[in-house]
Amino acid sequence: MSYDFNNADHQQNGFDLIPAGTIVPLVMNIRPGGAGEGGWMKASQNSDAEMLDCEFVVESGPYAKRKLWQFMVLSGGKLNDKGDSIAGNISRSTLRAILESARNIMPDDMGDTAMRSRCVNGWQDFCGIVFLAKIGVEKDKTGQYGDKNKIATVITPDMKDYSDGGQSAN
């Protein structure tokens, strides 16, 4: 069978990065990697780390449908003096902030309702969750790849940008 591409659109030159400091609503999804309970984790090729392979899609606004990807290490890798995964602790803090942003929970609220709202039944509960985030730019240190967007900060209800839906940002 033959295919005619003469009427296909011209190739796009890619996208400029979302400017650092821009606040956007993101939809989170996890791309299962076949490791860990239920196959939700991805195993590192270079260490004993296991991580979530996360894809984030800008839900609305001028950058709607733009995507960024981040790994969230949950176990393994470098350990602190207590034997806990350093990256795992950072990732768990980020996941907590995502729940607080999505479910409108003040970070210092330790009431029963807030504590229940920070619990999930499994990694699938993060798929489709919508939260606010401030975008950052990660510079490529190798020179092989272009710079890329990343989540700099999850915006939680105790932050000014949460109450105005990020409208005061860039």
Side-chain angles (χ1 to χ4, degrees):
M1 175 174 258
S2 63
Y3 298 96
D4 182 354
F5 293 96
N6 287 300
N7 293 324
D9 290 337
H10 291 266
Q11 174 178 280
Q12 294 182 1
N13 289 333
F15 294 104
D16 290 330
L17 292 172
I18 298 171
T22 302
I23 296 177
V24 295
L26 292 176
V27 180
M28 179 178 180
N29 279 296
I30 300 170
R31 302 184 300 180
E37 185 177 330
W40 285 97
M41 304 283 214
K42 181 174 184 171
S44 171
Q45 296 176 356
N46 304 323
S47 75
D48 64 340
E50 288 189 337
M51 62 203 87
L52 295 174
D53 183 357
C54 301
E55 176 183 81
F56 302 95
V57 181
V58 178
E59 182 187 48
S60 59
Y63 301 102
K65 298 184 183 176
R66 296 280 296 276
K67 295 181 179 184
L68 51 143
W69 299 268
Q70 271 181 236
F71 290 116
M72 291 197 186
V73 174
L74 293 170
S75 65
K78 292 184 181 178
L79 305 178
N80 64 17
D81 56 352
K82 296 179 184 175
D84 298 325
S85 169
I86 295 170
N89 288 341
I90 294 168
S91 294
R92 281 186 289 281
S93 294
T94 301
L95 291 167
R96 174 185 170 148
I98 287 170
L99 290 171
E100 290 169 345
S101 178
R103 297 176 176 177
N104 194 20
I105 307 165
M106 294 297 280
D108 60 353
D109 185 347
M110 297 310 287
D112 290 343
T113 301
M115 290 178 72
R116 279 192 305 277
S117 295
R118 287 190 198 97
C119 295
V120 296
N121 293 316
W123 298 118
Q124 69 277 1
D125 287 3
F126 284 98
C127 293
I129 199 166
V130 181
F131 64 98
L132 284 177
K134 183 180 288 188
I135 298 298
V137 174
E138 184 176 303
K139 301 284 184 188
D140 175 45
K141 295 175 181 95
T142 67
Q144 290 182 288
Y145 305 102
D147 298 342
K148 66 178 188 174
N149 283 126
K150 66 174 190 169
I151 296 172
T153 306
V154 175
I155 304 300
T156 54
D158 59 326
M159 300 174 171
K160 177 192 177 300
D161 291 319
Y162 187 88
S163 61
D164 65 16
Q167 299 305 309
S168 69
N170 298 350

